[in-house]
Amino acid sequence: MISFLTISIIQATVAIATPLYIGALGGLFNERVGVVNVGLDGIMLSGAFAAAITSYYTQSAWMGVLAALTVGALLGLLHAAICIEFKADHVVSGVAINILASSLTVFLLQLLFNNKGQSPSAPKIGQISNLDSIPILGPILNNMSYLTIIGLVLILLSHFFLYRTKMGLRLRSVGENPYAAQSLGIPVRRYMYLSVIVGCALVGLAGAFLSIGMLNVFTKNMTAGRGYIALAAMICGRWTPLGSLGASVFFGYVLAWQMNAQGLAIPAQILEIIPYLTTIIVLAFVAKRARGPAHVGKIFAPSEH
Amino acid sequence: MAKEEALVINGLKKHFGHVKANDGIDLIVRAGTIHAIVGENGAGKSTLMKSLFGLHQPDSGEIHLWGEKVQFSSPLQALSHGIGMVHQHFMLVEALSVLENIILGAEPGKGILLSYKNSRKTVEEICQKYGLDLDLDAIVENVPVGIQQRLEIVKVLYRGARLIILDEPTAVLTPQEIDRMFEILREFKKDGCTVIFITHKLNEVMALADDVTVIRDGRTVGHWPISEVNEKILARQMVGRDVVLDLVKEDAQPAELVLQIQGLQTEQVNGDQKADGLSFNIRAGEILGIIGVAGNGQDALIEGILGLRKVEKGEILYLGEHINGVDTSYLRQKGVSCISADRLKTGLVREFNVRENAILGYHTGKEFVSNLLFQNKRIDHYVNQIIKEFQIKTPSLEAPITTLSGGNQQKLIIGRELHANPKLIIAVQPTRGVDIGAIEFIYQVLLECRRQNTAVLLVSNELEEVLSLSDRVAVLYQGRFMGCNTPDHLSKEDIGLMMAGVRPEGEGGSE
Amino acid sequence: MNTSRLKHFFWQIFPSVLAVLSALLIGAAIIFAIGENPLQAYAAMFQGAFGDPSSWAETLQRATPYIFGGLAFSIATRSGLFNIGIEGQMYVGAIAGAIVGFSIHNIPAFLHIALALAAAALAGYVWAIIPALLKVKSGVHEVISTIMLNYVAYALTAYLTVRVFHEPGAVAQTYKVDPSAILPALMPPNKLNTGFIIAIVLAIVIYGFLFYTPWGYNLRVTGLNPGAGRYAGIKSTRIVLRAMLMSGAIAGLMGAERSLGIYGRFINSFSPGYGFTAIAVSLLGQNHPLGIIPAAILFGAFENGASFMSLQVNVPRELGLILEALIIVFIAAEHFFRDGLRSMLKGDKS
């Protein structure tokens, strides 16, 4: 019998959705200032790697989180420099980051641990515990990672920031029409740099959850396309924090259900297809109506305008 | 106070590589006056204003504002010195509301939070004072261009600008809207503001300005109080020689019907105005001019005829053949050619060289292809021919198209489109952004086409151009014709009213 | 005339050369950082890649999928689509070729090979239809849809390998392809095969197609300025669809070269990321069919040389992959180099 809603599915949904909505939020901070970032997957992978090895060496999961944020921010700086300074195609830069991340992580695994598959196990980020006594919510909240909660807080803060603050309005204007923003004295490039760097740091954080939130180890190419699913969640969520959260929970549910259904009569390989196919189908319905920031993916070249 | 100089510029230079955009600009603007800066396309007006506004840093020269020497490295500094600018291409965030656009970058209140309440009141007061009507909650992309311009002016006022620069502000307005705008600018003057008005339309200079400075090839040619000059003098100063835009135009000899359009209604594409029941005919040897404010269905009409937009209702007959929904490439083979509105968007491929651009749209023709391959010798021969015939200045056939001036790019397009002896030419804003020499040339070419019995559909928002070239003029408003008549039966006032959607009394409909 | 051509050529390849040199420089820094001698390592790398005919053969063997993949990527890119799904299209092509290879018996070799290659191209083609249609009809960005389809392809080929055509062995693999469907080797015992020749011929054909035929012209216009193409009577959706399908078909051939030429069967997840590295190859070759050939050989040399190097000095052979990744990072910043050096040269003159 296939079940669709059990405590374990809910718990898995939350766990799987966490890196997706944190990652989608990171992607959103890229695209809201007009920078497409298909390098999300590679940044997530690098974040996962940095978190695992830092946590292993320092024996502190929070140091791992810090390392993931830092590595994410550095890759964000690289992406921002290539897109803004060198005026390169954003997609090319993203692909470069993905390839760099997947080869560099394996290279370093080999160099540090003489093992191309995975890192040694490392301390995990803490989890909520001892809530068994609360009915219904208790079992769901139990074992929930602190990062999940932090992610939710970040979503709410970002919503508030984007729609209720002056800086939020300015940031949104940069992705819609940077020339207009510039003509009003808004430091467009500074907004772009900062937003991309912060966004990518968040993506790194999403990666930390993969390696030391959900598991306690880094494995080769462990993102398995989650960066792209996060990107899809951002699009389905219409480039808003709350929408991205909703879409991520949906994708999380599909993945959780699929994992729950393993071991049934359906071959595992066919089940694996489901989340990816779902992403495509959802996008097919949503993409036409979803309109991103007007200047997304375009080069900002004030002197030629 | 009023006699003081608001702005003095000395020997300003700005070069981009080999291009000397500004090469010695001098400017003196008296406080509390309206100062016009005129010059041809490419004379360096916009570059000058960008330097002044902090968008460029000049290579050399000095700028004195209110007696103080300044050098702005960003628009923020210009804004804080009381300079406000209405750009030629509007600087609006389309996805945001009118109010958000006005306050953006100068949001009221001390904290980090947005507060619309205070700002709304301030903005409403400004609007009331100058009689500028605005729906503050409308999303900008749904607002007509005329109103967007108004929004740009309110933006400047909201920031308390004392020196207001307007770059070609009348291009998107009807004659009546232009008059209204002039009133507002005079109102500013009364309040002690200084206005710099950049234009290439000399009648507007004469109507509005107190002083005028003429710029040519990046240099200041001279400046005068308006009482000492007239349009003719200004035109000569602007171009550097006498301008005779006297067109020799024989009486039209309309022959057979080339294009018949009956009740054309096109599909709605995004927010674009659709054609909504257009009917007209064009005969061989005739120029039909269509005038209207941009965004009133021009694109829909052109693309409907060319088969680029779905026709929902109506008939299009070309030389008696139904052409609803046929391929553009078929029409091109059958002698329909198009000089499209935006050279670099729809007329040319920026990354291609002259040769590759010269065959665009005709590249499948037997003339250029045999055995499935391009015949480069024949192509070269043809390109050299149009370069010669249309006096196109280019270093070589391999030169990237962007190394040519706007006028030469436009001539290449026209040469290409006329090469195959078309029976119908659709010319959309054929003189946009080109210098006077090229404008003269293009007018001659279009009149020659008319002599050669070609039907010409001229779509433009330059009133003078349409009136002087066309045999009949139709006024387009919200996808419909407000009227159609010969130019001598239409006054500028009537056309202006029709462009704004008002049907003047006693005016008949279309044919 | 001749000097201006030469100048043009120089400016065209200049960013690529600079990107390679910059990557090698950073690579040297990495080697130095892990305590080895960069010169020694690079010498070993060169020795391993081009030292003797058999190392040449291995280099070209490794370059072959990159030529196919680079061509697949470039043709989509030239029409304005970013086909990041070459990997998946390659997998379905590889298994389709293998299935024809082991399912049909007793027909002449040339026919068998032709059929298997056709099946592979068709499979890649079908795999590319989905993102192409999604792009044109629903506006789904091809980067996401093709990536998702890569994962679908991994799972689908794994299913076919493990559950349907499974042959027991050390790795998950299908049955062996009939000898008549095997692409003949060029320099045995090396696995370099006629697939390499096919790739070179394909590059030349695509070069002619792009620059000497009206169809290629249509494709380039569509990629550079679809708006101008529209007014010129070029139907961009049709062109984009066709380009994507051609891209998919070439990716399918890329897979078949591996299954029919190297392994003689389909092997589950055989690719170390050929489809992604091919993107770097195409970019390094300036998306030019003839530029892709040297770029692919360079990448083949990196990988072949790096594994030889890892035996000589204590540097992991993933260094080759890192060099490849660095190259695209530098290629991405191409304009910076090009414009920067140009203005420096001009500055010197004046």
Side-chain angles (χ1 to χ4, degrees):
Chain A
M1 190 49 215
I2 300 175
S3 36
F4 288 93
L5 206 64
T6 61
I7 296 289
S8 72
I9 289 184
I10 294 174
Q11 280 189 333
T13 298
V14 172
I16 295 167
T18 300
L20 294 183
Y21 63 71
I22 299 178
L25 189 64
L28 184 153
F29 274 106
N30 279 269
E31 299 225 345
R32 278 290 186 173
V33 289
V35 175
V36 170
N37 194 342
V38 299
L40 247 54
D41 207 60
I43 297 171
M44 215 184 254
L45 188 69
S46 310
F49 178 80
I53 62 158
T54 310
S55 172
Y56 168 74
Y57 281 118
T58 62
Q59 288 298 308
S60 156
W62 292 109
M63 288 308 286
V65 168
L66 196 65
L69 284 167
T70 312
V71 166
L74 285 175
L75 287 172
L77 178 63
L78 177 69
H79 186 59
I82 293 176
C83 297
I84 303 166
E85 216 65 50
F86 303 161
K87 300 184 174 56
D89 186 312
H90 301 183
V91 177
V92 170
S93 170
V95 170
I97 288 173
N98 284 337
I99 296 183
L100 189 64
S102 66
S103 56
L104 204 58
T105 49
V106 177
F107 180 82
L108 289 172
L109 273 184
Q110 167 76 15
L111 206 64
L112 296 172
F113 310 113
N114 209 9
N115 179 338
K116 282 178 191 164
Q118 60 177 56
S119 73
S121 55
K124 273 181 84 164
I125 299 166
Q127 295 172 336
I128 297 173
S129 53
N130 299 327
L131 289 177
D132 285 324
S133 49
I134 307 172
I136 308 172
L137 268 181
I140 293 173
L141 287 174
N142 235 355
N143 298 333
M144 186 181 276
S145 170
Y146 290 140
L147 262 192
T148 300
I149 313 287
I150 292 174
L152 287 173
V153 172
L154 285 172
I155 291 272
L156 293 175
L157 278 179
S158 303
H159 176 83
F160 180 80
F161 171 78
L162 284 174
Y163 299 103
R164 293 280 183 274
T165 70
K166 295 175 184 176
M167 276 176 81
L169 178 68
R170 295 175 186 186
L171 189 146
R172 284 186 286 142
S173 76
V174 167
E176 293 287 346
N177 186 347
Y179 304 101
Q182 187 193 32
S183 77
L184 296 172
I186 294 168
V188 172
R189 287 157 52 93
R190 196 184 307 163
Y191 269 85
M192 290 174 81
Y193 267 105
L194 279 176
S195 193
V196 169
I197 290 171
V198 168
C200 292
L202 290 177
V203 179
L205 182 66
F209 181 83
L210 286 181
S211 62
I212 56 169
M214 213 154 39
L215 307 169
N216 60 354
V217 67
F218 172 85
T219 60
K220 179 185 171 183
N221 288 331
M222 72 184 309
T223 48
R226 279 193 179 73
Y228 294 96
I229 298 183
L231 213 53
M234 177 202 71
I235 294 169
C236 298
R238 313 250 164 127
W239 288 265
T240 65
L242 297 176
S244 302
L245 175 65
S248 300
V249 170
F250 170 75
F251 285 122
Y253 173 75
V254 173
L255 276 151
W257 178 84
Q258 167 246 324
M259 281 172 19
N260 204 259
Q262 302 268 13
L264 296 168
I266 313 163
Q269 295 87 359
I270 299 298
L271 279 172
E272 272 172 33
I273 292 175
I274 291 171
Y276 303 113
L277 224 46
T278 311
T279 309
I280 294 177
I281 292 166
V282 170
L283 277 180
F285 281 103
V286 172
K288 207 147 212 179
R289 275 162 296 155
R291 210 188 58 173
H295 203 262
V296 80
K298 296 181 188 158
I299 310 281
F300 175 57
S303 60
E304 288 156 35
H305 202 71
Chain B
M1 190 71 187
K3 293 288 168 246
E4 221 177 89
E5 280 134 9
L7 175 71
V8 177
I9 292 179
N10 283 324
L12 188 100
K13 289 187 184 181
K14 177 75 187 171
H15 296 183
F16 298 100
H18 296 295
V19 183
K20 297 175 177 176
N22 283 170
D23 195 33
I25 300 268
D26 301 312
L27 183 66
I28 299 171
V29 179
R30 294 181 294 143
T33 61
I34 298 180
H35 193 108
I37 297 179
V38 297
E40 279 203 81
N41 290 304
K45 295 169 294 188
S46 294
T47 307
L48 169 63
M49 288 308 128
K50 282 182 177 169
S51 295
L52 181 54
F53 198 59
L55 285 162
H56 287 157
Q57 273 67 58
D59 298 335
S60 64
E62 287 185 356
I63 301 175
H64 295 267
L65 191 66
W66 316 113
E68 173 199 351
K69 190 180 169 199
V70 292
Q71 168 102 21
F72 298 140
S73 57
S74 83
L76 192 60
Q77 293 173 328
L79 291 168
S80 68
H81 277 77
I83 298 182
M85 184 145 171
V86 175
H87 299 261
Q88 185 179 3
H89 303 285
F90 295 159
M91 292 292 186
L92 297 171
V93 183
E94 299 214 318
L96 297 181
S97 74
V98 169
L99 182 61
E100 284 170 323
N101 265 281
I102 294 170
I103 63 169
L104 181 63
E107 304 84 353
K110 273 191 187 137
I112 59 161
L113 298 186
L114 271 176
S115 151
Y116 293 109
K117 241 189 230 158
N118 298 334
S119 40
R120 183 180 296 271
K121 220 176 124 202
T122 323
V123 173
E124 275 168 353
E125 276 166 15
I126 294 170
C127 290
Q128 217 162 19
K129 182 174 173 197
Y130 293 101
L132 297 161
D133 205 17
L134 275 181
D135 173 6
L136 296 184
D137 297 312
I139 299 298
V140 170
E141 64 188 345
N142 303 326
V143 168
V145 275
I147 310 287
Q148 290 187 1
Q149 172 115 47
R150 202 177 289 169
L151 162 58
E152 285 283 18
I153 291 174
V154 175
K155 263 166 74 178
V156 168
L157 295 174
Y158 173 79
R159 284 166 172 72
R162 305 298 298 156
L163 174 63
I164 300 170
I165 304 166
L166 300 105
D167 192 358
E168 301 274 1
T170 59
V172 295
L173 303 180
T174 67
Q176 280 80 5
E177 283 174 327
I178 293 173
D179 289 344
R180 175 80 189 94
M181 170 172 222
F182 286 2
E183 278 171 36
I184 294 168
L185 296 184
R186 288 191 192 102
E187 198 75 17
F188 291 169
K189 187 168 91 170
K190 232 183 262 168
D191 287 350
C193 287
T194 308
V195 177
I196 295 180
F197 186 84
I198 300 168
T199 184
H200 65 272
K201 293 181 183 166
L202 300 177
N203 55 348
E204 293 178 356
V205 176
M206 299 310 295
L208 182 70
D210 300 308
D211 298 315
V212 55
T213 297
V214 177
I215 291 176
R216 188 199 323 144
D217 297 334
R219 293 162 187 266
T220 298
V221 181
H223 61 95
W224 300 270
I226 206 72
S227 55
E228 291 177 13
V229 290
N230 58 35
E231 283 186 43
K232 216 170 162 186
I233 297 172
L234 287 178
R236 193 192 308 132
Q237 294 296 342
M238 204 162 97
V239 185
R241 61 182 164 85
D242 278 322
V243 183
V244 269
L245 267 182
D246 283 338
L247 297 170
V248 188
K249 192 174 144 194
E250 309 84 0
D251 285 340
Q253 306 206 317
E256 78 276 11
L257 275 169
V258 174
L259 187 69
Q260 293 165 271
I261 292 189
Q262 201 46 252
L264 175 73
Q265 188 180 321
T266 58
E267 185 192 24
Q268 183 77 44
V269 181
N270 301 331
D272 210 10
Q273 172 67 48
K274 63 177 184 178
D276 195 10
L278 291 173
S279 302
F280 61 91
N281 297 326
I282 310 178
R283 289 176 181 275
E286 182 186 43
I287 299 181
L288 173 66
I290 292 184
I291 181 114
V293 174
N296 271 291
Q298 288 92 336
D299 291 348
L301 167 63
I302 299 152
E303 297 195 349
I305 297 171
L306 287 173
L308 294 171
R309 209 174 278 206
K310 217 169 165 185
V311 174
E312 283 181 341
K313 273 188 210 156
E315 276 304 324
I316 310 174
L317 282 168
Y318 170 66
L319 297 173
E321 184 186 344
H322 286 267
I323 57 162
N324 286 24
V326 303
D327 275 3
T328 313
S329 49
Y330 175 80
L331 289 176
R332 285 190 168 268
Q333 280 166 25
K334 287 280 177 181
V336 178
S337 73
C338 176
I339 301 161
S340 61
D342 194 326
R343 280 191 291 286
L344 289 171
K345 271 198 187 132
T346 52
L348 299 168
V349 179
R350 210 182 262 271
E351 293 82 354
F352 275 8
N353 60 27
V354 170
R355 181 202 284 118
E356 287 171 306
N357 269 303
I359 59 170
L360 182 63
Y362 301 91
H363 57 281
T364 51
K366 284 195 189 101
E367 192 183 357
F368 303 135
V369 183
S370 56
N371 299 324
L372 308 177
L373 295 175
F374 280 135
Q375 300 302 307
N376 280 336
K377 271 196 187 141
R378 276 188 253 160
I379 293 175
D380 285 356
H381 178 74
Y382 146 80
V383 182
N384 281 320
Q385 203 179 321
I386 59 171
I387 285 177
K388 209 166 131 196
E389 193 177 334
F390 289 86
Q391 301 158 23
I392 300 161
K393 282 186 209 132
T394 171
S396 74
L397 300 191
E398 273 86 24
I401 193 72
T402 44
T403 57
L404 272 59
S405 72
N408 282 307
Q409 292 174 359
Q410 190 72 353
K411 284 194 215 166
L412 181 74
I413 293 180
I414 291 172
R416 178 181 82 199
E417 297 300 328
L418 298 186
H419 173 74
N421 296 320
K423 300 204 173 60
L424 169 66
I425 297 168
I426 301 174
V428 192
Q429 312 274 23
T431 57
R432 183 156 108 175
V434 304
D435 56 51
I436 296 228
I439 292 177
E440 280 177 307
F441 185 84
I442 291 165
Y443 285 175
Q444 298 301 346
V445 166
L446 288 177
L447 288 176
E448 183 58 29
C449 289
R450 171 173 173 267
R451 253 171 246 132
Q452 302 291 330
N453 247 351
T454 308
V456 180
L457 177 63
L458 172 70
V459 181
S460 174
N461 48 26
E462 295 274 346
L463 191 51
E464 304 289 340
E465 177 170 294
V466 170
L467 284 176
S468 56
L469 287 174
S470 309
D471 297 307
R472 282 180 299 135
V473 175
V475 184
L476 190 63
Y477 175 74
Q478 293 192 350
R480 296 168 192 233
F481 285 145
M482 296 302 293
C484 180
N485 214 326
T486 53
D488 40 343
H489 284 89
L490 286 168
S491 68
K492 278 192 188 180
E493 288 67 35
D494 287 349
I495 292 181
L497 285 173
M498 288 193 276
M499 282 164 77
V502 183
R503 212 179 279 270
E505 290 187 20
E507 184 57 45
S510 55
E511 67 176 67
Chain C
M1 185 70 200
N2 233 342
T3 54
S4 90
R5 279 251 167 109
L6 216 65
K7 229 178 182 175
H8 181 73
F9 179 70
F10 170 75
W11 283 115
Q12 211 170 4
I13 66 159
F14 167 71
S16 299
V17 173
L18 205 61
V20 172
L21 293 178
S22 313
L24 285 173
L25 205 67
I26 293 199
I30 294 175
I31 297 168
F32 186 74
I34 57 181
E36 292 290 330
N37 181 347
L39 283 178
Q40 210 181 339
Y42 281 148
M45 210 162 157
F46 186 82
Q47 175 73 18
F50 302 112
D52 56 42
S54 73
S55 45
W56 263 98
E58 181 64 14
T59 294
L60 295 184
Q61 184 271 106
R62 286 171 183 261
T64 307
Y66 294 144
I67 302 177
F68 280 113
L71 292 172
F73 180 79
S74 75
I75 208 149
T77 297
R78 290 234 176 222
S79 81
L81 277 187
F82 202 98
N83 183 6
I84 203 170
I86 295 170
E87 187 83 353
Q89 293 146 17
M90 174 192 73
Y91 267 111
V92 294
I95 203 162
I99 291 172
V100 171
F102 59 65
S103 309
I104 301 177
H105 310 286
N106 302 326
I107 57 169
F110 74 90
L111 189 63
H112 202 173
I113 289 175
L115 277 176
L117 291 180
L122 188 70
Y125 183 99
V126 168
W127 216 244
I129 285 178
I130 306 166
L133 283 177
L134 281 171
K135 166 86 173 186
V136 169
K137 303 273 179 209
S138 312
V140 178
H141 199 290
E142 70 276 11
V143 166
I144 295 181
S145 60
T146 49
I147 283 281
M148 294 297 126
L149 282 166
N150 284 346
Y151 289 100
V152 177
Y154 300 152
L156 190 69
T157 51
Y159 170 74
L160 291 174
T161 311
V162 177
R163 301 260 174 165
V164 186
F165 304 113
H166 185 66
E167 185 174 290
V171 290
Q173 57 184 16
T174 64
Y175 313 127
K176 242 180 141 79
V177 166
D178 277 25
S180 56
I182 296 284
L183 288 166
L186 295 175
M187 293 174 67
N190 192 282
K191 299 270 189 185
L192 177 67
N193 59 71
T194 34
F196 176 73
I197 309 282
I198 297 175
I200 298 286
V201 171
L202 199 60
I204 295 166
V205 168
I206 289 174
Y207 167 71
F209 165 81
L210 275 178
F211 296 101
Y212 293 94
T213 72
W215 302 300
Y217 183 92
N218 284 345
L219 194 146
R220 288 186 294 136
V221 171
T222 302
L224 293 170
N225 187 350
R230 219 161 76 90
Y231 272 79
I234 300 171
K235 298 211 152 172
S236 63
T237 45
R238 201 183 287 173
I239 303 281
V240 163
L241 271 173
R242 271 190 213 153
M244 191 65 178
L245 298 182
M246 276 166 72
S247 177
I250 298 170
L253 290 178
M254 172 183 178
E257 186 272 336
R258 293 284 105 173
S259 59
L260 303 177
I262 306 291
Y263 311 119
R265 53 164 43 115
F266 180 85
I267 291 177
N268 193 33
S269 54
F270 66 85
S271 164
Y274 289 133
F276 298 103
T277 310
I279 297 172
V281 169
S282 181
L283 293 172
L284 180 63
Q286 307 278 336
N287 295 323
H288 191 291
L290 301 184
I292 285 167
I293 298 174
I297 293 174
L298 181 75
F299 274 44
F302 275 154
E303 290 171 16
N304 184 23
S307 39
F308 183 76
M309 171 196 72
S310 68
L311 302 174
Q312 307 286 316
V313 293
N314 187 24
V315 178
R317 62 187 182 142
E318 276 71 25
L319 183 79
L321 301 180
I322 291 178
L323 289 177
E324 293 171 358
L326 286 172
I327 284 175
I328 356 183
V329 174
F330 286 112
I331 281 285
E334 169 205 11
H335 287 286
F336 178 71
F337 288 133
R338 201 195 299 247
D339 300 347
L341 196 88
R342 252 188 198 169
S343 61
M344 255 166 63
L345 287 180
K346 295 216 167 104
D348 283 348
K349 266 183 208 164
S350 62

